[in-house]
């Protein structure tokens, strides 16, 4: 094939980053990027882009007619590889987190242990695709919302447990007294 076409059509709205499977892209490769995506070309280990929505012509060192000839000393593979990464820029709003086990706290007023749980939902949208690729995705072939949720879930749980056990709710003189004070802590900003 003289001209390659690179496009990401996904049916998984929770897929955040995806690497095009071929690394032998010719110098006139057509890159198609949807409005809710952004793409990066990685050539020689350097990120070029972002490429926003539209059609783009990539410039690589692979000349289609010479690609096979230049690849002979390299086992048939081109020495000039290039990767295309796509980033999903649409917001994902239904990621859930929660403490897996109740945190046992002693109520100072009644002297009993009270199980306390925390849970919630959050949304994400990738603002800086290059930083996202460099800091979280790395060399994985794809990265989905579940992987990101697993990363953040540990942070949320650790910080929530620390916050609950160290500070408690400061809405009254006995911070842990009764469930009504707990509801007040989490429902009033």
């Amino acid at each position: 094939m003289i001209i390659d076409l690179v496009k990401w059509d996904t049916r998984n709205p929770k897929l955040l980053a995806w690497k095009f499977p071929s690394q032998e892209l010719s110098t006139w490769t057509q890159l198609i990027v949807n409005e809710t995506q952004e793409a990066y070309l990685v050539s020689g280990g350097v990120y070029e882009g972002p490429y926003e929505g539209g059609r783009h012509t990539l410039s690589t060192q692979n000349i289609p007619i010479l690609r096979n000839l230049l690849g002979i000393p390299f086992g048939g593979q081109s020495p000039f590889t290039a990767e295309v990464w796509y980033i999903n820029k649409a917001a994902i709003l239904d990621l859930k987190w929660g403490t897996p086990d109740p945190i046992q706290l002693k109520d100072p007023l009644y002297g009993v242990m009270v199980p306390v749980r925390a849970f919630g939902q959050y949304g994400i949208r990738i603002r800086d695709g290059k930083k996202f690729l460099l800091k979280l995705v790395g060399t994985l072939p794809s990265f989905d919302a579940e992987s990101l949720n697993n990363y953040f879930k540990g942070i949320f749980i650790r910080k929530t447990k620390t916050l609950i056990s160290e500070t408690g709710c400061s809405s009254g003189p006995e911070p842990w007294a009764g469930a009504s004070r707990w509801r007040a802590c989490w429902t009033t900003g």
Side-chain angles (χ1 to χ4, degrees), residues 16-131:
L16 300 173
W18 177 74
K19 181 172 76 170
F20 186 73
S22 176
Q23 294 183 358
E24 293 191 16
L25 304 174
S26 66
T27 196
W28 298 294
T29 296
Q30 294 296 298
L31 175 67
I32 308 295
V33 183
N34 294 331
E35 288 290 325
T36 60
Q37 301 170 344
E38 124 183 326
Y40 290 87
L41 174 68
V42 183
S43 182
V46 178
Y47 282 82
E48 297 175 24
Y51 294 93
E52 301 292 336
R55 178 184 289 268
H56 308 276
T57 302
L58 300 179
S59 178
T60 67
Q61 296 176 341
N62 280 330
I63 299 169
I65 298 168
L66 299 176
R67 180 171 27 191
N68 293 336
L69 183 63
L70 290 173
I72 291 173
F74 299 96
Q77 301 290 323
S78 171
F80 307 113
T81 61
E83 300 175 347
V84 172
W85 277 95
Y86 280 92
I87 302 294
N88 181 355
K89 299 290 280 187
I92 298 174
L93 303 174
D94 60 346
L95 299 172
K96 295 174 177 39
W97 67 275
T99 54
D101 302 310
I103 302 164
Q104 298 295 323
L105 298 174
K106 185 174 182 180
D107 185 317
L109 183 64
Y110 300 110
V112 296
M113 295 303 285
V114 178
V116 177
R117 297 194 73 144
F119 57 90
Q121 182 174 333
Y122 66 99
I124 60 164
R125 186 175 65 83
I126 299 171
R127 284 191 179 166
D128 188 337
K130 184 176 179 182
K131 186 182 280 186

Side-chain angles (χ1 to χ4, degrees), residues 163-180:
L163 179 72
I164 290 171
S165 64
E166 288 179 357
T167 61
C169 177
S170 59
S171 65
E174 297 96 17
W176 304 113
S180 63

